[in-house]
Amino acid sequence: MSGYIVTGGAGFIGSMLVRRLLREGVGKITVIDNMLTGHEENLAEVRDGVDLHRVDICDYDAIAPLVRGAGTVFHLAAIPSVPRSIREPVPSHEVNADGTFNVFRACSEGGVGRVVYAASSSAYGDTEVLPKVETMAPRPKSPYAVQKLLGEYYASVFYSCFNLDTVCLRFFNVYGPRQDPTSPYSGVISIFMRSVVERTTPTIHGDGEQSRDFTYVEDVVELCLKASRAKGVAGKMYNAGNGNRYTLNQVWSTLTRIEGVDIPPKYGPPREGDVRDSQADTTAAVRDLGHAPRFSLEEGLRRTLAWYREHGH
Ligand code: UD2
């Protein structure tokens, strides 16, 4: 067993985190992934550095021996997607809520040093004020948002009641290489990437003026690492965003400009459970964790597009 464990380590963010950890020379990384949305291919060239366990976080007896005694557990395994949680609330609850409880319980009983939990910006829901600050009252609008928020509450209570060292990072619309565009529940930038590469028309839900703090995956991974090592942050929650916000219309027009094509999008009805605007206040993460996002949207889109072109999605 290694000192570092990544649940969801074969997913798009998890596999980037595994690569980052391996570059630190910390030894083999233990990955726990049931391969529902993860792919072994995501770990292709780093496979030798990974101890991969095809295990579901819903199976407490399977994960408990794997996490026992670990230094750091990054808990990224989840069934993401707001619309998926509305259409299929049961599996999404089982994994995101019950599975997350299992991970915290296993870490607590197994004496893990620290757990970094991938929380979600969806917990804020619609707020009157932007950017969104950690001190704002949560207003979840979907089962997914409730489940992710519950994970935060458990992280905080596992710290206060059981002395498990936890840190929560609210991820803000992470995008980048290896994000799977093939599901109807895929993140919008991966869908846009596929459309621009294949020259097809994307569908924008609503008027396209909803905005997101799109955050490049490498910036999030860097912050995960910082959160795993920061002092005096046990039991706390931080925004893990870039600090900017862009509308979907702006993202599509930037992407088509970079690619040099002119493809007007289609517009469909707004999506149920959708938040209108999202933008992170990064003050606390900068101050306490040393958060320093490096990638502008344009730079992140260029890098991501280069990957999709090469990998032919
Ligand atoms: C939420 C969280 C995000 C993360 C993610 C995981 C918010 C603000 N963000 O992302 O932090 O936890 O869930 O799944 O809650 N859209 C289209 N066309 C498409 C696909 C999507 O217009 O083909 C729209 C969609 O209606 C939404 C925006 O794009 O307004 C972003 O959707 P998404 O599914 O990429 O991510 P989102 O914001 O639900």
Side-chain angles (χ1 to χ4, degrees), residues 103-183:
V103 171
F104 288 137
R105 180 183 156 214
C107 291
S108 171
E109 292 177 1
V112 167
R114 174 169 287 180
V115 184
V116 177
Y117 167 63
S120 167
S121 66
S122 59
Y124 287 110
D126 290 316
T127 57
E128 269 126 49
V129 179
L130 292 170
K132 302 185 183 194
V133 190
E134 289 88 342
T135 49
M136 285 175 170
R139 290 173 163 186
K141 289 181 71 176
S142 63
Y144 171 76
V146 170
Q147 295 150 13
K148 281 295 187 175
L149 180 61
L150 184 72
E152 286 183 23
Y153 290 150
Y154 264 130
S156 156
V157 163
F158 266 88
Y159 175 60
S160 58
C161 295
F162 306 114
N163 209 25
L164 175 68
D165 184 325
T166 59
V167 183
C168 298
L169 297 177
R170 279 189 183 170
F171 289 6
F172 278 70
N173 289 76
V174 184
Y175 71 99
R178 295 185 197 84
Q179 190 168 22
D180 183 358
T182 58
S183 145

Coordinates of all heavy atoms in Angstrom, one line a residue, residues 103-183:
V103 N -16.1 6.1 2.8 CA -14.7 6.5 2.6 C -14.2 7.2 3.9 O -13.2 6.9 4.5 CB -14.5 7.4 1.4 CG1 -13.0 8.0 1.4 CG2 -14.7 6.7 0.1
F104 N -15.0 8.1 4.4 CA -14.6 8.8 5.7 C -14.5 7.8 6.8 O -13.6 7.9 7.6 CB -15.6 9.9 6.0 CG -15.5 11.1 5.1 CD1 -16.7 11.8 4.6 CD2 -14.3 11.6 4.7 CE1 -16.6 12.9 3.8 CE2 -14.2 12.8 3.9 CZ -15.4 13.4 3.4
R105 N -15.5 6.9 6.9 CA -15.5 6.0 8.0 C -14.3 5.1 7.9 O -13.6 4.9 8.9 CB -16.8 5.1 7.9 CG -16.9 4.1 9.0 CD -18.1 3.2 8.9 NE -17.9 1.9 9.6 CZ -18.4 0.8 9.2 NH1 -19.2 0.7 8.1 NH2 -18.1 -0.3 9.8
A106 N -14.0 4.6 6.7 CA -12.8 3.7 6.5 C -11.5 4.5 6.9 O -10.6 3.9 7.5 CB -12.7 3.2 5.1
C107 N -11.4 5.7 6.5 CA -10.2 6.5 6.8 C -10.1 6.8 8.3 O -9.0 6.8 8.8 CB -10.3 7.9 6.0 SG -10.1 7.7 4.2
S108 N -11.2 7.1 8.9 CA -11.2 7.3 10.4 C -10.8 6.1 11.1 O -9.9 6.1 12.0 CB -12.6 7.8 10.8 OG -12.7 7.9 12.1
E109 N -11.4 5.0 10.8 CA -11.1 3.7 11.5 C -9.7 3.2 11.1 O -9.0 2.5 11.9 CB -12.1 2.7 11.2 CG -13.5 3.1 11.9 CD -14.6 2.1 11.6 OE1 -14.4 1.1 10.9 OE2 -15.7 2.4 12.1
G110 N -9.2 3.6 9.9 CA -7.9 3.1 9.5 C -6.8 4.1 9.8 O -5.7 3.9 9.4
G111 N -7.1 5.1 10.6 CA -6.0 6.0 11.0 C -5.3 6.8 9.9 O -4.1 7.1 9.9
V112 N -6.1 7.2 8.9 CA -5.5 8.0 7.7 C -5.0 9.3 8.2 O -5.7 10.0 9.0 CB -6.5 8.0 6.6 CG1 -6.1 9.1 5.5 CG2 -6.7 6.7 6.0
G113 N -4.0 9.8 7.6 CA -3.4 11.1 8.0 C -4.3 12.3 7.7 O -4.6 13.2 8.5
R114 N -4.7 12.4 6.4 CA -5.6 13.5 5.9 C -6.4 13.0 4.8 O -5.9 12.2 3.9 CB -4.8 14.7 5.5 CG -5.7 15.8 4.9 CD -5.0 17.1 4.8 NE -4.7 17.8 6.0 CZ -4.1 19.0 6.2 NH1 -3.7 19.6 5.1 NH2 -4.0 19.5 7.4
V115 N -7.7 13.5 4.7 CA -8.5 13.2 3.6 C -8.8 14.6 2.9 O -9.3 15.5 3.5 CB -9.9 12.6 4.0 CG1 -10.7 12.3 2.7 CG2 -9.7 11.3 4.8
V116 N -8.5 14.6 1.6 CA -8.9 15.8 0.8 C -10.2 15.4 0.0 O -10.1 14.5 -0.8 CB -7.8 16.3 -0.1 CG1 -8.2 17.5 -1.0 CG2 -6.6 16.7 0.7
Y117 N -11.3 16.1 0.2 CA -12.5 15.7 -0.4 C -12.9 16.7 -1.5 O -12.9 17.9 -1.3 CB -13.6 15.7 0.7 CG -15.0 15.6 0.2 CD1 -15.5 14.5 -0.5 CD2 -16.0 16.7 0.4 CE1 -16.8 14.4 -1.0 CE2 -17.3 16.6 -0.1 CZ -17.7 15.5 -0.8 OH -19.0 15.4 -1.2
A118 N -13.3 16.1 -2.7 CA -13.7 16.9 -3.8 C -15.2 17.2 -3.7 O -16.0 16.5 -4.0 CB -13.5 16.1 -5.1
A119 N -15.4 18.4 -3.1 CA -16.8 18.9 -3.0 C -17.1 19.7 -4.3 O -16.3 19.7 -5.2 CB -16.8 19.8 -1.8
S120 N -18.3 20.3 -4.3 CA -18.7 20.9 -5.5 C -19.3 22.3 -5.3 O -20.0 22.6 -4.4 CB -19.8 20.1 -6.2 OG -20.5 20.8 -7.2
S121 N -19.0 23.2 -6.3 CA -19.5 24.6 -6.3 C -21.1 24.5 -6.4 O -21.7 25.6 -6.1 CB -19.0 25.3 -7.5 OG -19.5 24.8 -8.7
S122 N -21.6 23.4 -6.8 CA -23.1 23.3 -6.9 C -23.8 23.6 -5.6 O -24.9 23.9 -5.5 CB -23.5 22.0 -7.5 OG -23.1 20.9 -6.7
A123 N -23.0 23.4 -4.5 CA -23.6 23.5 -3.1 C -24.2 25.0 -2.9 O -25.1 25.2 -2.2 CB -22.6 23.3 -2.1
Y124 N -23.6 25.9 -3.6 CA -24.0 27.3 -3.4 C -25.4 27.6 -4.0 O -26.1 28.4 -3.6 CB -23.0 28.3 -4.1 CG -21.7 28.5 -3.4 CD1 -20.6 28.0 -3.9 CD2 -21.7 29.2 -2.2 CE1 -19.4 28.2 -3.3 CE2 -20.5 29.3 -1.5 CZ -19.3 28.8 -2.1 OH -18.1 29.0 -1.4
G125 N -25.7 26.9 -5.1 CA -27.0 27.2 -5.8 C -26.9 28.6 -6.4 O -25.9 29.1 -6.7
D126 N -28.1 29.2 -6.5 CA -28.1 30.6 -7.0 C -28.0 31.5 -5.8 O -28.8 31.5 -4.9 CB -29.5 30.9 -7.7 CG -29.5 30.1 -9.0 OD1 -28.5 30.1 -9.7 OD2 -30.6 29.5 -9.3
T127 N -27.0 32.4 -5.9 CA -26.8 33.4 -4.8 C -27.0 34.8 -5.4 O -26.9 35.0 -6.6 CB -25.3 33.3 -4.3 OG1 -24.4 33.5 -5.4 CG2 -25.0 32.0 -3.7
E128 N -27.4 35.7 -4.5 CA -27.7 37.0 -5.0 C -26.4 37.7 -5.4 O -26.4 38.7 -6.2 CB -28.4 37.8 -3.9 CG -29.9 37.7 -4.1 CD -30.6 37.3 -2.8 OE1 -30.3 37.9 -1.7 OE2 -31.4 36.3 -2.8
V129 N -25.3 37.3 -4.7 CA -24.0 38.0 -4.9 C -23.0 37.1 -5.5 O -22.9 35.9 -5.2 CB -23.5 38.5 -3.5 CG1 -22.2 39.2 -3.5 CG2 -24.6 39.4 -2.8
L130 N -22.1 37.7 -6.4 CA -21.0 37.0 -6.9 C -19.8 37.9 -6.6 O -19.9 39.1 -6.5 CB -21.1 36.9 -8.5 CG -22.2 36.0 -9.0 CD1 -22.4 36.2 -10.5 CD2 -21.9 34.5 -8.7
P131 N -18.6 37.3 -6.5 CA -18.3 35.8 -6.4 C -18.9 35.2 -5.2 O -19.3 35.9 -4.2 CB -16.8 35.8 -6.5 CG -16.3 37.0 -5.9 CD -17.3 38.1 -6.2
K132 N -18.8 33.9 -5.2 CA -19.4 33.1 -4.1 C -18.3 32.8 -3.0 O -17.2 32.4 -3.4 CB -20.0 31.8 -4.6 CG -21.0 32.1 -5.7 CD -21.7 30.9 -6.2 CE -22.7 31.3 -7.3 NZ -23.7 30.3 -7.7
V133 N -18.7 33.1 -1.8 CA -17.7 33.0 -0.7 C -18.1 31.9 0.2 O -19.3 31.6 0.4 CB -17.7 34.3 0.2 CG1 -16.6 34.4 1.1 CG2 -17.6 35.6 -0.7
E134 N -17.1 31.2 0.8 CA -17.3 30.0 1.6 C -18.3 30.3 2.8 O -19.0 29.4 3.2 CB -16.0 29.5 2.2 CG -15.0 28.9 1.2 CD -14.1 29.9 0.5 OE1 -14.4 31.1 0.5 OE2 -13.1 29.5 -0.1
T135 N -18.4 31.5 3.2 CA -19.3 31.8 4.3 C -20.8 31.9 3.9 O -21.6 32.1 4.8 CB -18.9 33.2 5.0 OG1 -18.7 34.1 4.0 CG2 -17.6 33.0 5.8
M136 N -21.1 31.9 2.6 CA -22.5 32.0 2.2 C -23.2 30.8 2.6 O -22.7 29.7 2.6 CB -22.6 32.2 0.7 CG -22.2 33.5 0.2 SD -22.2 33.5 -1.6 CE -22.0 35.3 -1.9
A137 N -24.5 31.0 2.9 CA -25.4 29.8 3.2 C -25.6 29.0 1.9 O -25.8 29.5 0.9 CB -26.7 30.2 3.7
P138 N -25.4 27.6 2.0 CA -25.6 26.8 0.8 C -27.1 26.8 0.4 O -28.0 26.9 1.3 CB -25.2 25.4 1.3 CG -24.8 25.5 2.7 CD -25.0 26.9 3.2
R139 N -27.3 26.6 -0.9 CA -28.7 26.5 -1.4 C -28.7 25.5 -2.5 O -28.9 25.9 -3.7 CB -29.1 27.9 -2.0 CG -29.3 29.0 -1.0 CD -29.6 30.2 -1.9 NE -30.2 31.3 -1.1 CZ -30.6 32.4 -1.7 NH1 -30.5 32.6 -3.0 NH2 -31.1 33.4 -1.0
P140 N -28.5 24.3 -2.2 CA -28.4 23.2 -3.3 C -29.7 23.2 -4.1 O -30.8 23.3 -3.5 CB -28.2 22.0 -2.5 CG -28.5 22.2 -1.1 CD -28.3 23.7 -0.9
K141 N -29.6 23.0 -5.4 CA -30.8 23.0 -6.3 C -31.0 21.6 -6.9 O -31.9 21.5 -7.8 CB -30.6 24.0 -7.4 CG -30.6 25.4 -7.0 CD -30.4 26.3 -8.2 CE -31.6 26.3 -9.2 NZ -31.5 27.3 -10.3
S142 N -30.2 20.6 -6.6 CA -30.3 19.3 -7.3 C -29.9 18.3 -6.3 O -29.1 18.5 -5.3 CB -29.4 19.3 -8.5 OG -28.1 19.4 -8.2
P143 N -30.3 17.0 -6.5 CA -29.8 15.9 -5.7 C -28.3 15.9 -5.6 O -27.7 15.7 -4.5 CB -30.4 14.7 -6.3 CG -31.6 15.1 -7.0 CD -31.3 16.5 -7.5
Y144 N -27.6 16.1 -6.8 CA -26.2 16.1 -6.8 C -25.6 17.1 -5.8 O -24.7 16.8 -5.1 CB -25.7 16.3 -8.2 CG -24.2 16.5 -8.4 CD1 -23.3 15.5 -8.3 CD2 -23.7 17.8 -8.6 CE1 -22.0 15.7 -8.4 CE2 -22.3 18.0 -8.7 CZ -21.5 17.0 -8.6 OH -20.1 17.2 -8.7
A145 N -26.1 18.3 -5.9 CA -25.6 19.4 -5.0 C -25.8 19.0 -3.5 O -24.9 19.2 -2.7 CB -26.3 20.7 -5.3
V146 N -27.0 18.4 -3.2 CA -27.2 18.0 -1.8 C -26.2 16.9 -1.4 O -25.7 17.0 -0.3 CB -28.7 17.4 -1.7 CG1 -28.9 16.8 -0.3 CG2 -29.7 18.5 -1.9
Q147 N -26.0 16.0 -2.3 CA -25.1 14.9 -1.9 C -23.7 15.4 -1.7 O -23.0 15.0 -0.7 CB -25.1 13.8 -3.1 CG -26.4 13.1 -3.3 CD -26.6 12.7 -4.8 OE1 -25.7 12.8 -5.6 NE2 -27.9 12.4 -5.1
K148 N -23.2 16.3 -2.6 CA -21.9 16.8 -2.4 C -21.7 17.6 -1.1 O -20.7 17.6 -0.4 CB -21.5 17.6 -3.6 CG -21.1 16.7 -4.8 CD -19.8 16.0 -4.4 CE -19.2 15.2 -5.5 NZ -17.9 14.7 -5.0
L149 N -22.8 18.3 -0.8 CA -22.8 19.2 0.4 C -22.8 18.3 1.6 O -22.1 18.5 2.6 CB -24.0 20.1 0.4 CG -24.2 21.0 1.6 CD1 -23.1 22.0 1.7 CD2 -25.5 21.8 1.4
L150 N -23.6 17.2 1.6 CA -23.6 16.2 2.7 C -22.2 15.7 3.0 O -21.8 15.6 4.1 CB -24.5 15.1 2.4 CG -24.7 14.1 3.5 CD1 -25.6 14.6 4.6 CD2 -25.4 12.8 2.9
G151 N -21.5 15.4 1.9 CA -20.1 15.0 2.0 C -19.2 16.0 2.8 O -18.4 15.7 3.7
E152 N -19.5 17.3 2.5 CA -18.7 18.4 3.3 C -19.1 18.3 4.8 O -18.2 18.5 5.6 CB -19.1 19.7 2.8 CG -18.6 20.1 1.5 CD -19.0 21.5 1.1 OE1 -19.3 22.4 2.0 OE2 -19.0 21.8 -0.1
Y153 N -20.4 18.2 5.0 CA -20.8 18.1 6.4 C -20.2 16.9 7.2 O -19.8 17.0 8.3 CB -22.4 18.1 6.5 CG -23.1 19.4 6.1 CD1 -24.3 19.4 5.6 CD2 -22.5 20.6 6.3 CE1 -25.0 20.5 5.2 CE2 -23.1 21.8 5.9 CZ -24.4 21.7 5.4 OH -25.0 22.9 5.0
Y154 N -20.2 15.8 6.5 CA -19.6 14.6 7.1 C -18.1 14.9 7.3 O -17.5 14.5 8.3 CB -19.8 13.4 6.2 CG -21.0 12.6 6.7 CD1 -22.0 12.2 5.8 CD2 -21.1 12.3 8.1 CE1 -23.1 11.5 6.3 CE2 -22.2 11.6 8.5 CZ -23.2 11.1 7.6 OH -24.3 10.4 8.1
A155 N -17.4 15.5 6.3 CA -16.0 15.8 6.5 C -15.8 16.6 7.7 O -14.9 16.3 8.5 CB -15.5 16.5 5.3
S156 N -16.6 17.6 7.9 CA -16.4 18.5 9.1 C -16.7 17.7 10.4 O -16.0 17.9 11.4 CB -17.4 19.7 8.9 OG -17.7 20.2 10.1
V157 N -17.7 16.9 10.4 CA -18.1 16.1 11.6 C -17.1 15.0 11.9 O -16.9 14.7 13.0 CB -19.6 15.7 11.5 CG1 -19.9 14.6 12.5 CG2 -20.5 16.9 11.7
F158 N -16.6 14.4 10.8 CA -15.6 13.3 11.1 C -14.4 14.0 11.7 O -13.7 13.3 12.5 CB -15.2 12.6 9.8 CG -16.0 11.3 9.6 CD1 -17.2 11.3 9.0 CD2 -15.5 10.1 10.1 CE1 -18.0 10.2 8.8 CE2 -16.3 8.9 10.0 CZ -17.5 9.0 9.3
Y159 N -14.1 15.2 11.4 CA -13.0 15.9 12.1 C -13.4 16.3 13.6 O -12.7 15.9 14.5 CB -12.7 17.2 11.4 CG -11.7 18.1 12.1 CD1 -10.4 17.5 12.3 CD2 -12.0 19.4 12.5 CE1 -9.4 18.3 13.0 CE2 -11.0 20.1 13.2 CZ -9.7 19.6 13.4 OH -8.8 20.3 14.1
S160 N -14.6 16.9 13.7 CA -14.9 17.3 15.1 C -15.2 16.1 16.0 O -14.9 16.2 17.2 CB -16.1 18.3 15.1 OG -17.2 17.8 14.5
C161 N -15.9 15.1 15.5 CA -16.3 14.0 16.4 C -15.3 12.8 16.5 O -15.2 12.2 17.5 CB -17.6 13.4 16.0 SG -19.0 14.5 16.1
F162 N -14.6 12.6 15.4 CA -13.7 11.4 15.3 C -12.2 11.8 15.1 O -11.4 10.9 14.9 CB -14.1 10.5 14.2 CG -15.6 10.1 14.4 CD1 -16.5 10.5 13.4 CD2 -16.0 9.3 15.4 CE1 -17.9 10.1 13.5 CE2 -17.4 9.0 15.6 CZ -18.3 9.4 14.6
N163 N -11.9 13.1 15.0 CA -10.6 13.6 14.9 C -9.9 13.2 13.6 O -8.7 13.0 13.5 CB -9.7 13.1 16.1 CG -8.6 14.1 16.4 OD1 -8.7 15.3 16.0 ND2 -7.5 13.6 16.9
L164 N -10.7 12.9 12.5 CA -10.1 12.6 11.2 C -9.8 14.0 10.6 O -10.7 14.8 10.5 CB -11.1 11.9 10.4 CG -10.7 11.6 8.9 CD1 -9.5 10.6 8.8 CD2 -11.9 11.0 8.1
D165 N -8.6 14.1 10.1 CA -8.1 15.4 9.5 C -8.7 15.4 8.0 O -8.3 14.6 7.2 CB -6.6 15.4 9.5 CG -6.0 16.7 8.9 OD1 -6.6 17.3 8.0 OD2 -5.0 17.2 9.4
T166 N -9.6 16.4 7.8 CA -10.2 16.5 6.5 C -10.1 17.9 5.9 O -10.1 18.9 6.7 CB -11.7 16.1 6.5 OG1 -12.4 17.0 7.4 CG2 -12.0 14.7 7.0
V167 N -10.0 18.0 4.6 CA -10.1 19.3 4.0 C -11.0 19.2 2.8 O -10.8 18.3 2.0 CB -8.7 19.8 3.5 CG1 -8.8 21.2 2.9 CG2 -7.7 19.8 4.6
C168 N -12.0 20.1 2.6 CA -12.9 20.1 1.5 C -12.5 21.1 0.5 O -12.3 22.3 0.8 CB -14.3 20.3 1.9 SG -14.9 19.1 3.1
L169 N -12.5 20.8 -0.8 CA -12.3 21.7 -1.9 C -13.5 21.7 -2.8 O -13.9 20.7 -3.3 CB -11.1 21.3 -2.7 CG -9.7 21.3 -2.0 CD1 -8.6 20.8 -3.0 CD2 -9.4 22.7 -1.5
R170 N -14.2 22.9 -2.9 CA -15.3 23.0 -3.8 C -14.8 23.2 -5.2 O -14.4 24.3 -5.5 CB -16.3 24.1 -3.4 CG -17.2 23.7 -2.2 CD -18.2 24.8 -2.0 NE -19.0 24.4 -0.8 CZ -19.9 25.1 -0.2 NH1 -20.1 26.4 -0.6 NH2 -20.6 24.7 0.8
F171 N -14.8 22.2 -6.0 CA -14.4 22.3 -7.4 C -15.4 23.1 -8.2 O -16.6 22.9 -8.0 CB -14.3 20.9 -8.1 CG -13.2 20.0 -7.6 CD1 -12.4 20.4 -6.5 CD2 -12.9 18.8 -8.2 CE1 -11.3 19.6 -6.1 CE2 -11.9 18.0 -7.8 CZ -11.1 18.4 -6.7
F172 N -14.9 24.0 -9.0 CA -15.7 24.8 -9.9 C -15.5 24.4 -11.4 O -14.5 24.8 -12.0 CB -15.3 26.3 -9.7 CG -16.0 27.0 -8.6 CD1 -15.6 26.7 -7.3 CD2 -17.0 28.0 -8.7 CE1 -16.2 27.3 -6.2 CE2 -17.5 28.6 -7.6 CZ -17.1 28.3 -6.4
N173 N -16.5 23.7 -11.9 CA -16.5 23.3 -13.4 C -15.1 23.1 -13.9 O -14.6 23.9 -14.7 CB -17.2 24.4 -14.1 CG -18.7 24.3 -13.8 OD1 -19.2 24.8 -12.8 ND2 -19.5 23.7 -14.7
V174 N -14.5 22.0 -13.5 CA -13.2 21.6 -14.0 C -13.2 21.1 -15.4 O -14.2 20.3 -15.8 CB -12.6 20.5 -13.0 CG1 -11.2 20.2 -13.4 CG2 -12.7 21.0 -11.6
Y175 N -12.3 21.4 -16.2 CA -12.2 21.0 -17.6 C -10.8 20.7 -18.0 O -9.8 21.2 -17.3 CB -12.8 22.0 -18.6 CG -12.0 23.2 -18.7 CD1 -11.1 23.4 -19.9 CD2 -11.9 24.2 -17.8 CE1 -10.3 24.5 -20.0 CE2 -11.1 25.3 -17.9 CZ -10.3 25.5 -19.0 OH -9.5 26.5 -19.2
G176 N -10.5 20.0 -19.0 CA -9.2 19.7 -19.5 C -9.1 18.4 -20.2 O -10.1 17.7 -20.5
P177 N -7.9 18.0 -20.6 CA -7.7 16.7 -21.3 C -8.3 15.5 -20.5 O -8.3 15.5 -19.3 CB -6.1 16.6 -21.3 CG -5.6 17.9 -21.2 CD -6.6 18.7 -20.4
R178 N -8.7 14.5 -21.3 CA -9.3 13.3 -20.7 C -10.7 13.4 -20.2 O -11.2 12.4 -19.7 CB -8.4 12.6 -19.7 CG -7.1 12.2 -20.3 CD -6.2 11.4 -19.2 NE -4.8 11.4 -19.7 CZ -4.0 12.4 -19.5 NH1 -4.3 13.4 -18.9 NH2 -2.8 12.3 -20.1
Q179 N -11.3 14.5 -20.2 CA -12.7 14.6 -19.8 C -13.5 13.9 -20.9 O -13.4 14.3 -22.1 CB -13.1 16.1 -19.6 CG -14.5 16.2 -19.0 CD -14.8 17.6 -18.5 OE1 -14.2 18.6 -19.1 NE2 -15.7 17.8 -17.6
D180 N -14.3 12.9 -20.5 CA -15.0 12.1 -21.4 C -16.2 12.8 -22.0 O -17.1 13.2 -21.3 CB -15.5 10.8 -20.7 CG -16.2 9.8 -21.6 OD1 -16.3 10.1 -22.8 OD2 -16.5 8.7 -21.1
P181 N -16.2 13.0 -23.3 CA -17.4 13.8 -23.9 C -18.5 12.9 -24.4 O -19.5 13.4 -25.0 CB -16.7 14.5 -25.1 CG -15.7 13.4 -25.6 CD -15.2 12.7 -24.3
T182 N -18.4 11.6 -24.2 CA -19.4 10.7 -24.9 C -20.7 10.5 -24.2 O -21.6 9.8 -24.7 CB -18.7 9.3 -25.1 OG1 -18.3 8.8 -23.9 CG2 -17.5 9.5 -26.0
S183 N -20.9 11.0 -23.0 CA -22.1 10.7 -22.3 C -23.0 12.0 -22.4 O -22.5 13.1 -22.5 CB -21.8 10.4 -20.8 OG -22.8 10.9 -20.0

